Amino acid sequence: MFDQVKGQPAAVATLQAALRSGRVHHAYRFEGPRGVGKELCALAFANALIGNPPGQTTHPDLVFIGRGLYRDGGVEASELTGISVEQIRKVVLSRVGFAPHQGKALVFIVREADELTTSAANALLKTLEEPRPHVHFLLLTNNPDRLLDTVRSRTLPVRFGPLPQAVIADLLRAAGKPVELAALAEGSAHLAFLLAEDQELHNREEFIQSATGAITAAHFAAALDVASDLPKQRDALCEQLRALCQHFAVAARHVVGTNPNEAVQSAQRFACTAEALRSIERNGQPALVIESLLSQLRRT
């Protein structure tokens, strides 16, 4: 059932144990980095609960929730910024009181559950507080801290870690992509395949060069230029900050035995960048966060 899920033995073992015992919780929270197999594992688990053949992605009793998924089905365009309460009402609450159509269970998979608006999360909360027989929720999130505390407290965590580099290399090889990208992927198959696109790799390298150039530039105006050229999408900016984190981490490792002072400097810059990434993930204003980050990097 979980044969396609690679590099996540602890998560798979937890779910297999629940299935064997018959004591399956009504709501799970799959949390971990992007691109490590959370949705693939959720599909395998959902199929087992429903009684669907392995590998299937459609079934009348398998329902996906996600920002923008149902824009053509009556959900308002407010979902540009999050999963709306309208989607929860129309897709979940209208269905959750009925028995499964064909399978043994009704399963809702919520993609990027941290994008639930406060009103949407509160609308979902009553169902999580009063679970119905044969109804299960699988909430997938890269940022569990952004979920409401009340939602977290009513979901059982299943944690996913970064994928081993060898696993990512195997996935790239199978797809005919350069396996050396596995070393840059930070444990994420999602990032590995993004980097396989020449433009994405170029954008990543260009951002690192711009940011490191601004650190050593004579005037802070260079930092302002970097901030003005930020990607418009928050997810894209987060990817670039992760790349900068990796750049500083690699730099520290390369000189830790020969130049301890430089290693400490790179480690400090890594910490500053990681904090900026967390600020962006918490909906910080991108331009201000990047300006502050570059100012801190220059001081180190």
Side-chain angles (χ1 to χ4, degrees):
M1 184 63 71
F2 294 93
D3 290 347
Q4 291 184 308
V5 181
K6 309 297 183 183
Q8 301 294 350
V12 168
T14 296
L15 300 173
Q16 287 177 325
L19 290 169
R20 283 195 302 269
S21 69
R23 295 191 294 272
V24 178
H25 200 264
H26 72 283
Y28 289 88
R29 187 176 72 252
F30 288 18
E31 56 183 52
R34 185 186 303 276
V36 298
K38 297 190 298 295
E39 184 164 328
L40 196 62
C41 197
L43 278 169
F45 191 48
N47 283 329
L49 292 171
I50 291 169
N52 211 19
Q56 297 295 308
T57 58
T58 59
H59 189 279
D61 296 311
L62 175 60
V63 183
F64 284 93
I65 304 299
R67 177 162 56 93
L69 277 183
Y70 300 98
R71 195 169 300 151
D72 295 332
V75 174
E76 295 181 4
S78 60
E79 296 208 323
L80 292 173
T81 57
I83 302 173
S84 67
V85 67
E86 289 91 349
Q87 183 173 164
I88 297 302
R89 288 171 179 161
K90 293 179 179 180
V91 180
V92 179
L93 302 187
S94 65
R95 175 83 185 272
V96 77
F98 298 93
H101 284 312
Q102 298 177 9
K104 297 184 294 184
L106 172 62
V107 182
F108 295 92
I109 296 179
V110 185
R111 292 171 170 160
E112 309 291 352
D114 50 275
E115 293 186 344
L116 286 162
T117 62
T118 300
S119 55
N122 284 326
L124 185 61
L125 190 58
K126 184 173 177 60
T127 301
L128 297 178
E129 290 173 331
E130 300 175 3
R132 299 174 184 270
H134 311 299
V135 176
H136 300 275
F137 288 87
L138 309 178
L139 278 63
L140 317 184
T141 177
N142 312 322
N143 300 295
D145 291 344
R146 290 177 58 184
L147 287 166
L148 290 182
D149 290 341
T150 46
V151 171
R152 286 206 305 271
S153 69
R154 287 159 179 80
T155 52
L156 196 65
V158 179
R159 295 185 173 88
F160 291 72
L163 292 174
Q165 187 171 319
V167 169
I168 296 179
D170 287 342
L171 294 172
L172 288 167
R173 187 179 296 108
K177 305 293 184 182
V179 296
E180 58 269 21
L181 294 176
L184 302 175
E186 305 165 32
S188 168
H190 169 78
L191 179 55
F193 282 91
L194 275 181
L195 294 176
E197 302 173 10
D198 291 342
Q199 185 60 47
E200 187 65 31
L201 189 58
H202 171 77
N203 291 344
R204 172 191 173 101
E205 292 173 347
E206 188 174 57
F207 178 77
I208 291 173
Q209 291 174 3
S210 297
T212 53
I215 295 172
T216 57
H219 301 289
F220 189 65
L224 299 180
D225 290 340
V226 173
S228 67
D229 291 336
L230 292 173
K232 303 305 180 186
Q233 295 295 323
R234 190 175 296 268
D235 287 348
L237 175 57
C238 286
E239 294 290 0
Q240 292 191 348
L241 287 175
R242 291 187 187 98
L244 190 59
C245 278
Q246 186 186 42
H247 169 80
F248 290 133
V250 170
R253 286 198 296 269
H254 279 174
V255 298
V256 68
T258 58
N259 191 334
N261 289 337
E262 187 177 334
V264 168
Q265 182 186 61
S266 293
Q268 291 172 337
R269 289 175 172 173
F270 171 88
C272 292
T273 308
E275 180 56 35
L277 173 60
R278 287 189 288 271
S279 295
I280 295 294
E281 290 176 338
R282 293 192 297 263
N283 289 324
Q285 210 287 327
L288 294 178
V289 171
I290 297 301
E291 287 179 21
S292 175
L293 167 64
L294 293 172
S295 176
Q296 292 178 58
L297 295 178
R298 285 169 64 86
R299 288 198 299 271
T300 62

